[in-house]
């Protein structure tokens, strides 16, 4: 992790960041990502990563513009996709809304769709009143 970041806070930029994340992760990596998220562990491939607080060591946390807490995930897009790493802090409710939307899209395209929905249903949402996402 480097110490120069572009912090994304507007919905349009975060939507684009998450679109990039899921365009890389969907398909062959989505099951691995959902399994990691179930354990509150981050997952990424190449230039995109989602991290939970426990994924980062003290050095990584010190490099961030603000600390990552137990109520957020960190989404990072790195070089060569962008000149300066882009990061966004998402609260769990927002993160899981993106997750739910993209798992449903993948389930429609993939014959293993029910497996994705089942994995999504096992992802718990910490520190909220919601304990599991409803899969439709």
């Amino acid at each position: 992790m480097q110490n120069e970041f572009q912090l994304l806070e507007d919905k349009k930029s975060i939507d684009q960041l998450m679109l990039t994340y899921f365009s890389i992760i969907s398909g062959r990596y989505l099951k691995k990502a959902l399994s990691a998220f179930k354990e509150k562990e981050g997952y990424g491939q190449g230039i995109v990563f989602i991290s939970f607080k426990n994924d980062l060591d003290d050095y990584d946390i010190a490099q961030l513009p603000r600390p990552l807490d137990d109520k957020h995930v960190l989404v990072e897009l790195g070089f060569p996709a962008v000149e300066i790493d882009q990061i966004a802090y998402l609260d769990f409710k927002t993160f899981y809304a993106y997750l739910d939307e993209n798992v449903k899209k993948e389930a429609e395209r993939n014959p293993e769709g029910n497996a994705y929905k089942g994995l999504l249903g096992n992802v718990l949402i910490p520190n909220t009143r919601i304990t599991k996402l409803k899969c439709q």
Side-chain angles (χ1 to χ4, degrees), residues 53-68:
K53 180 182 176 185
N54 292 336
D55 294 321
L56 305 178
D57 61 22
D58 291 339
Y59 175 80
D60 288 337
I61 290 172
Q63 302 304 307
L64 295 173
R66 65 179 185 244
L68 182 60

Side-chain angles (χ1 to χ4, degrees), residues 2-102:
Q2 65 181 33
N3 60 5
E4 186 177 357
F5 302 103
Q6 177 185 7
L7 179 60
L8 305 179
E9 298 183 284
D10 64 284
K11 183 169 175 18
K12 182 177 178 182
S13 297
I14 293 171
D15 284 349
Q16 184 60 46
L17 176 63
M18 296 307 291
L19 178 66
T20 301
Y21 180 82
F22 284 106
S23 70
I24 293 171
I25 298 301
S26 288
R28 71 184 216 186
Y29 300 115
L30 186 58
K31 283 183 183 179
K32 290 180 184 179
L34 290 169
S35 294
F37 299 154
K38 175 185 173 188
E39 303 299 325
K40 305 302 170 269
E41 295 174 358
Y43 188 82
Q45 284 290 325
I47 58 172
V48 293
F49 298 91
I50 288 179
S51 300
F52 289 77
K53 180 182 176 185
N54 292 336
D55 294 321
L56 305 178
D57 61 22
D58 291 339
Y59 175 80
D60 288 337
I61 290 172
Q63 302 304 307
L64 295 173
R66 65 179 185 244
L68 182 60
D69 60 29
D70 291 327
K71 297 180 182 180
H72 293 83
V73 296
L74 180 72
V75 185
E76 181 178 1
L77 176 64
F79 184 82
V82 291
E83 291 289 320
I84 299 172
D85 283 6
Q86 295 179 346
I87 62 171
Y89 294 84
L90 302 180
D91 62 54
F92 287 121
K93 185 176 180 182
T94 303
F95 168 60
Y96 288 107
Y98 281 112
L99 196 56
D100 185 50
E101 174 186 344
N102 284 280

